[in-house]
Amino acid sequence: MEEARVRMKTDEYIVEMKNITKRFPGVVANDDVSISIKKGEVFAILGENGAGKSTLMSMLFGMYEPDAGEIFVRGEKVKIDSPNEAVRLDIGMVHQHFKLVENYTVSESIVLGIEPIKHLLGVIPYVDIKSANKAVQELSQRYGLEIEPTKKIEDLQVYARQRVEILKMLYREAEILIFDEPTAVLTPQEIDYLLGIIEKLRESGKTIILITHKLEEIKRVADRCAILNRGKLVDVLDVETTSTAEMARLMVGRDVLMEVDKPKAQFGEEVLIVENLFVEDMNHFAVVKDVSFSVRRGEIFAIAGVSGNGQVEVADAISGMLPIKSGKVSLNGRDITDLPVKERTDAGISYIPEDRQSMGLILDLSLAENLVLKSYHDAPYSRGEILNKDAFLQHAKEMIEAYDIRSGGGATGMVRQMSGGNQQKAIVGREIELGSDLMIFVQPTRGLDIGAITGIRERMIEQRAAGKAILLISLELDEIMAMADTIGVMYSGEMQKITSADDITSEEVGEYMMGVKHA
Amino acid sequence: MPDSNRRGNPLLRFFGNQRWQFITIPLVAILMSLITASIIVLILGKNPLTTFQSLLQGSGFIPKPNYANFKNVFTDFVDTVDAVTPMIFASLAVAVAFHAGLFNIGVSGQMLLSGFVATIVVGYSPLPAVLAKPLVIIIGIIVGALVGGLIGFLKYRFNINEVVAAIMLNYIIQYTISFFINTRYVDPVSRQSRVISSASRLTLLNVPYGDIRMRIPIAFVIAILLAIFLWFFFAKMKPGFEMKMVGLNQVASRYAGVRIGKTLIMAMMISGALAGLAGVSYYLGFFSSIQPNVLTSVGFDAIAVSLLGNSHPIGVIFSSWLITALSRGGTYMSSMVGIRYEIAALIVGLILLFSAMSQFIRQRINALISRSDRR
Ligand SMILES: Nc1ncnc2c1ncn2[C@@H]1O[C@H](COP(=O)(O)OP(=O)(O)OP(=O)(O)O)[C@@H](O)[C@H]1O
Ligand SMILES: [Mg+2]
């Protein structure tokens, strides 16, 4: 370690952030943090939800200015007061929750702001979209980020949108690439591919800063790793010489158990019965085809599948967010096929949706309001038509405590200002507290730190023990294998296989997921 | 932990307090527009102070040097109250729609239709005041709510943009009513609709008080009470909370169990009902007849007034007041200071322009603060 430090000093640093402090009302997001990043390395940043990772990198990208401290790029002191300035310094960033204009095409989104301009009749300027398409095509081939330049953003899947963001950086010839939790939204296969891209980018001389909660990813691609805890820098480690357990311990500040204790299941009667379910998407394209299954009390039924094979639509259809084309859904013996959302919630459905920012939360309402988003109708949160805001706050205090939700602004702070992981914890907490007989969890641990993941999984086991029926939908095979009592695998809208978790290996699940093996 | 508001210079500290920015930001907008207006007045070679003074005198906020018979500063002031009443209703109408994420650009049309229906049903009837006045108000509410509800329904059921629907309805209402006024209800001398019975008028005229005679706008009290109620409605009541939810994020609201269609239609009905009240207090209060072929500008000004008041029901009272007072003071100003009436309109325009920029102003101020904090 000592040796490593000495060696590093002599290296050339492309980015140095010195004694950076950033405060938000009620919280010190970064407290005297100093990091130095070498040209051509992959530098990982690890830390609990709300530790200040996104904030630190947002300052490097000019979204916020530090309250104290200095930033050096290529040895020169700089003041990065806007993303434009960051781009001028060849810095690019892929945000945790990316924002693209829905009805732009891929290449329009990429060249936006620095479009190739041609002149009609030599005077009237117009955007030369043809050469933009060509440039994007070339760029995407060069880096293996295959994409159709003329496709609309709204028609793209998450991984493809992320590619657009990456290409956007590369088109601006960024040398320092910041990735904020890029793998949280991807499937395992996509993650694998992205990590390959990152390695390739490093080989071509780019410097990469990677924020992630997944230790094995750090192990695989990162050279060094900075660890933040509650705004403070704990340590900067050489990845090669540090074990993942050590990283986790430093990050949380204590030893972490990554396994949860799962006692044997006690199944009761059937809570959810889905029979011959057909669902269409907005374009009347069949996305769920003839799916039948049931979930019993005390059972965790997990649906595995590659992203986009109809799993999320099954959840949306059960919860009432998507209309059911045909088939029947019953809950505790009651036909709920055509009930509106509210009545299904009341009948006993909790639902953690895939998309926390556009479905699970109202970002511009306070944490307290979001925590009663489904229960404000009832006592003690309202009486008749009058809301009891004091009860909102009281409830929020309890929830913040119980689920370790970290919000700088406290109960009345806007959810938009909370860190991504803490937004997720708020949704999970709210849905569990509804105490419904059926709990639908879609990617419940997405974006959470290791400690929080264990916490949420323990809650799931607790609910199972309390006799709830749990429908878990996850893209992560590890999560499915760790949690499920029964596994269903979906491929291309159809349920390929349903079996007890004891009777199947993760390799076999993987094969069904790819549609290789037929039941 | 040091609170960022505790440092920096006192002025910035004042404007930087986020809790109070809903009031301080409009103040900045007003201040900036007054400064700009002063520069223009100076360029015209007049004194800005006397200009603003005469504006305030014209609208009854400070006394004029002399008055006609039965008049004093108080009667001027009450006249302004009479004029501000429809503006408050109309701006509340816009604000309610804003909260639900809707843009009610049809307030003027809704005003006209409810004013017209109330005029022919009650205004031309022999009903006594005790019946006529409440009836006018009820008709205003119902007609406005129906038109607003129709726009909300079209949006929900057929996904017709509310702006388009409202503009189309504005035209339909304007020309249909003009047709009926011109063919059946026109007064041949004034070329307007015949004047309504004084029993049905919401503004009492020539009420003696000491040695003055003044107007009393009954609907003003209703406007203030409604504004206070709406404040409570959005801060503390379930349907108000649901409207805010829907205005911020429809998908999440549906997920939370809110009936989107019901909420949108209800918001537009409330907005329309307020517009209807604006209509009756305008055509059967401030005025007593309807001029055919025109839509009043009140419903359009209300959009900017609502913005200036941050769509906050109480803020809207103040912004309505300010804008109406400035517009009304213009005539007196032009005769006193000798600059054209249009300068008053210009000042109003500037205020509205700057208030539309309030988000920008807020950002600049907050950026200034974080910069001064770092020193
Ligand atoms: N714009 C903002 N206004 C107020 N507080 C903020 C803002 N942005 C971040 N914070 C607060 O700063 C702290 C750090 O947040 P940050 O988003 O940097 O965390 P993070 O390490 O990226 O967490 P996660 O892993 O959950 O994404 C949090 O307590 C958060 O509430
Ligand atoms: Mg983050």
Side-chain angles (χ1 to χ4, degrees):
Chain A
M1 194 98 170
E2 263 318 299
E3 235 179 27
R5 286 246 165 77
V6 175
R7 197 188 66 222
M8 270 187 277
K9 273 223 176 67
T10 60
D11 279 311
E12 182 198 346
Y13 289 123
I14 188 162
V15 173
E16 290 163 280
M17 300 181 82
K18 292 188 178 165
N19 307 100
I20 301 284
T21 295
K22 177 73 193 172
R23 299 184 192 89
F24 290 114
V27 68
V28 187
N30 290 139
D31 189 354
D32 197 19
V33 174
S34 301
I35 54 169
S36 306
I37 296 158
K38 283 183 283 186
K39 184 166 166 38
E41 75 172 334
V42 175
F43 188 90
I45 301 180
L46 184 65
E48 287 180 298
N49 296 126
K53 307 177 294 294
S54 297
T55 306
L56 187 65
M57 285 304 113
S58 300
M59 283 186 285
L60 184 56
F61 192 59
M63 317 246 300
Y64 303 121
E65 288 184 65
D67 294 336
E70 298 173 323
I71 301 178
F72 295 81
V73 174
R74 298 183 192 85
E76 258 171 66
K77 186 170 169 191
V78 291
K79 182 167 171 294
I80 311 176
D81 52 11
S82 71
N84 285 338
E85 181 62 22
V87 169
R88 220 183 52 73
L89 292 165
D90 296 336
I91 301 172
M93 181 162 179
V94 177
H95 296 281
Q96 192 167 0
H97 305 104
F98 28 89
K99 291 262 177 290
L100 292 164
V101 185
E102 290 275 316
N103 49 5
Y104 273 30
T105 68
V106 167
S107 49
E108 280 167 350
S109 310
I110 291 173
V111 303
L112 188 67
I114 43 171
E115 307 87 355
I117 300 289
K118 267 196 180 164
H119 291 266
L120 191 64
L121 306 171
V123 273
I124 305 163
Y126 70 99
V127 177
D128 181 8
I129 202 68
K130 269 205 199 110
S131 75
N133 284 344
K134 201 156 150 264
V136 168
Q137 187 80 47
E138 278 170 17
L139 201 62
S140 75
Q141 274 162 7
R142 171 140 52 103
Y143 288 100
L145 293 161
E146 236 51 58
I147 200 153
E148 250 180 80
T150 50
K151 258 204 166 166
K152 286 256 170 74
I153 298 292
E154 58 194 356
D155 299 327
L156 297 184
Q157 293 196 325
V158 182
Y159 82 92
R161 290 179 188 218
Q162 188 178 61
R163 283 187 181 179
V164 174
E165 293 276 9
I166 298 173
L167 286 168
K168 213 166 141 180
M169 296 195 294
L170 296 173
Y171 185 77
R172 284 160 181 71
E173 296 177 342
E175 289 296 321
I176 302 158
L177 311 177
I178 307 168
F179 290 86
D180 192 353
E181 291 191 38
T183 57
V185 291
L186 301 181
T187 65
Q189 296 80 359
E190 291 162 2
I191 291 174
D192 200 49
Y193 195 81
L194 177 69
L195 295 179
I197 297 280
I198 288 179
E199 284 170 332
K200 222 187 267 176
L201 287 169
R202 172 177 51 190
E203 276 158 32
S204 71
K206 310 263 182 202
T207 305
I208 287 147
I209 304 174
L210 174 68
I211 300 178
T212 180
H213 289 295
K214 297 180 188 152
L215 301 174
E216 64 279 17
E217 293 171 7
I218 296 183
K219 263 292 188 205
R220 175 167 156 197
V221 296
D223 300 299
R224 291 190 302 144
C225 171
I227 296 179
L228 291 182
N229 185 310
R230 294 185 188 251
K232 290 201 174 67
L233 181 72
V234 179
D235 207 346
V236 179
L237 307 165
D238 240 329
V239 171
E240 216 165 322
T241 55
T242 316
S243 71
T244 48
E246 173 72 4
M247 287 184 205
R249 195 183 58 74
L250 284 171
M251 174 185 120
V252 185
R254 59 182 155 80
D255 282 320
V256 253
L257 285 176
M258 296 198 223
E259 302 273 302
V260 288
D261 205 20
K262 190 163 153 247
K264 204 168 152 32
Q266 299 279 332
F267 300 144
E269 74 272 25
E270 288 173 324
V271 172
L272 173 74
I273 303 175
V274 175
E275 292 164 89
N276 309 105
L277 181 71
F278 282 84
V279 180
E280 288 182 347
D281 68 5
M282 277 176 296
N283 307 321
H284 299 287
F285 183 77
V287 282
V288 176
K289 301 168 208 158
D290 200 18
V291 164
S292 304
F293 64 95
S294 67
V295 190
R296 291 163 285 183
R297 289 195 179 279
E299 176 178 83
I300 297 180
F301 185 105
I303 301 184
V306 177
S307 166
N309 277 279
Q311 312 94 301
V312 172
E313 285 80 4
V314 168
D316 276 344
I318 297 172
S319 66
M321 292 301 288
L322 265 183
I324 290 169
K325 184 84 189 357
S326 70
K328 185 175 166 195
V329 177
S330 25
L331 187 75
N332 286 328
R334 177 177 169 204
D335 184 351
I336 61 163
T337 312
D338 298 314
L339 289 187
V341 177
K342 173 79 171 64
E343 282 173 50
R344 298 194 201 208
T345 308
D346 292 345
I349 296 182
S350 291
Y351 180 25
I352 298 170
E354 182 186 34
D355 191 334
R356 61 179 168 228
Q357 291 217 320
S358 62
M359 193 187 288
L361 295 167
I362 298 183
L363 294 176
D364 292 305
L365 289 182
S366 69
L367 174 59
E369 287 168 320
N370 272 287
L371 286 172
V372 295
L373 212 55
K374 289 184 176 175
S375 48
Y376 65 90
H377 319 265
D378 311 318
Y381 308 117
S382 61
R383 185 186 268 168
E385 292 298 303
I386 311 291
L387 299 169
N388 180 353
K389 290 273 171 105
D390 292 338
F392 282 31
L393 292 181
Q394 184 55 38
H395 174 68
K397 277 205 195 101
E398 290 162 18
M399 294 290 286
I400 287 172
E401 187 68 32
Y403 289 87
D404 189 26
I405 304 169
R406 298 180 196 174
S407 158
T412 53
M414 259 197 274
V415 168
R416 183 184 291 287
Q417 295 173 345
M418 285 163 50
S419 81
N422 283 295
Q423 293 177 355
Q424 180 72 7
K425 287 193 224 167
I427 300 179
V428 173
R430 178 186 70 210
E431 296 305 310
I432 290 181
E433 288 305 304
L434 278 180
S436 314
D437 281 343
L438 172 67
M439 298 192 174
I440 307 175
F441 288 8
V442 182
Q443 301 271 57
T445 57
R446 155 185 287 191
L448 295 186
D449 67 56
I450 307 168
I453 289 177
T454 314
I456 298 297
R457 290 189 178 162
E458 278 167 357
R459 296 268 178 183
M460 273 165 82
I461 304 283
E462 225 173 82
Q463 295 303 315
R464 181 181 81 144
K468 309 293 186 192
I470 295 173
L471 176 61
L472 169 68
I473 295 176
S474 179
L475 299 175
E476 286 172 54
L477 209 43
D478 293 345
E479 179 153 87
I480 301 233
M481 297 315 288
M483 301 305 295
D485 297 313
T486 310
I487 296 178
V489 189
M490 281 187 75
Y491 175 74
S492 179
E494 287 173 53
M495 195 65 94
Q496 292 285 313
K497 172 89 181 168
I498 295 177
T499 174
S500 161
D502 298 332
D503 302 339
I504 194 166
T505 64
S506 74
E507 286 73 29
E508 283 174 296
V509 175
E511 282 171 23
Y512 282 112
M513 278 166 63
M514 306 311 288
V516 182
K517 211 161 163 167
H518 283 279
Chain B
M1 205 215 74
D3 182 347
S4 63
N5 290 326
R6 226 172 292 149
R7 291 178 287 147
N9 82 42
L11 197 65
L12 272 182
R13 214 189 311 154
F14 176 68
F15 289 115
N17 189 328
Q18 309 233 350
R19 258 190 70 170
W20 291 101
Q21 279 191 341
F22 77 94
I23 181 93
T24 51
I25 299 293
L27 282 180
V28 174
I30 292 165
L31 208 68
M32 284 167 59
S33 48
L34 290 185
I35 293 170
T36 317
S38 303
I39 295 172
I40 295 170
V41 173
L42 278 174
I43 292 172
L44 292 173
K46 310 286 176 185
N47 183 344
L49 283 180
T50 47
T51 308
F52 293 135
Q53 186 191 11
S54 64
L55 272 176
L56 291 176
Q57 285 172 331
S59 50
F61 281 94
I62 49 178
K64 297 174 190 168
N66 47 40
Y67 284 94
N69 276 348
F70 308 119
K71 293 273 178 199
N72 67 12
V73 60
F74 189 61
T75 56
D76 277 356
F77 180 75
V78 179
D79 286 353
T80 302
V81 175
D82 196 22
V84 87
T85 304
M87 182 59 94
I88 294 178
F89 283 127
S91 309
L92 287 174
V94 175
V96 167
F98 267 160
H99 276 286
L102 295 166
F103 193 52
N104 187 358
I105 202 171
V107 171
S108 285
Q110 292 146 26
M111 285 175 71
L112 180 58
L113 186 64
S114 46
F116 176 72
V117 175
T119 297
I120 58 172
V121 174
V122 187
Y124 298 155
S125 76
L127 287 176
V130 278
L131 286 180
K133 289 188 207 297
L135 205 56
V136 165
I137 288 174
I138 291 169
I139 288 176
I141 292 175
I142 291 176
V143 174
L146 287 178
V147 182
L150 173 67
I151 297 172
F153 176 76
L154 290 175
K155 169 152 185 126
Y156 171 63
R157 189 67 185 75
F158 302 107
N159 201 18
I160 297 175
N161 187 297
E162 79 274 13
V163 175
V164 177
I167 291 176
M168 290 303 152
L169 278 171
N170 276 352
Y171 281 119
I172 294 170
I173 291 168
Q174 178 186 346
Y175 291 113
T176 316
I177 288 178
S178 298
F179 169 79
F180 282 112
I181 290 177
N182 285 329
T183 53
R184 306 189 54 171
Y185 304 107
V186 74
D187 177 331
V189 180
S190 69
R191 306 302 309 165
Q192 307 211 343
S193 67
R194 296 198 311 273
V195 170
I196 55 168
S197 71
S198 63
S200 60
R201 193 163 173 183
L202 297 179
T203 297
L204 308 177
L205 295 181
N206 293 326
V207 181
Y209 179 77
D211 54 358
I212 57 169
R213 301 258 190 283
M214 61 178 194
R215 303 170 142 230
I216 296 186
I218 299 172
F220 179 71
V221 185
I222 302 177
I224 299 296
L225 292 179
L226 268 180
I228 294 170
F229 171 74
L230 283 172
W231 179 25
F232 183 77
F233 180 77
F234 283 112
K236 291 265 153 93
M237 287 182 64
K238 253 190 237 174
F241 183 54
E242 286 171 358
M243 279 179 203
K244 256 191 341 201
M245 286 169 67
V246 171
L248 290 170
N249 183 339
Q250 285 202 9
V251 178
S253 305
R254 206 158 70 77
Y255 161 82
V258 178
R259 299 270 187 101
I260 306 293
K262 189 184 125 199
T263 309
L264 286 181
I265 293 171
M266 185 157 80
M268 278 310 289
M269 285 183 78
I270 296 178
S271 176
L274 288 160
L277 284 169
V280 292
S281 61
Y282 187 73
Y283 294 109
L284 293 88
F286 186 65
F287 293 115
S288 54
S289 63
I290 301 173
Q291 185 186 354
N293 298 325
V294 286
L295 277 181
T296 163
S297 67
V298 170
F300 300 104
D301 291 346
I303 295 167
V305 171
S306 179
L307 266 181
L308 178 63
N310 251 324
S311 301
H312 189 292
I314 306 300
V316 157
I317 297 181
F318 289 102
S319 57
S320 305
W321 207 281
L322 179 76
I323 298 302
T324 314
L326 287 178
S327 325
R328 286 183 58 77
T331 326
Y332 184 73
M333 177 203 72
S334 74
S335 67
M336 287 306 288
V337 190
I339 51 181
R340 294 188 58 91
Y341 170 82
E342 282 79 4
I343 294 297
L346 182 79
I347 297 176
V348 172
L350 283 170
I351 293 183
L352 299 181
L353 190 71
F354 280 110
S355 67
M357 284 166 46
S358 58
Q359 195 56 37
F360 174 76
I361 297 175
R362 183 186 315 241
Q363 271 173 16
R364 293 308 312 162
I365 288 181
N366 291 345
L368 274 179
I369 288 166
S370 72
R371 201 161 299 160
S372 78
D373 271 2
R374 247 170 293 128
R375 279 189 205 119

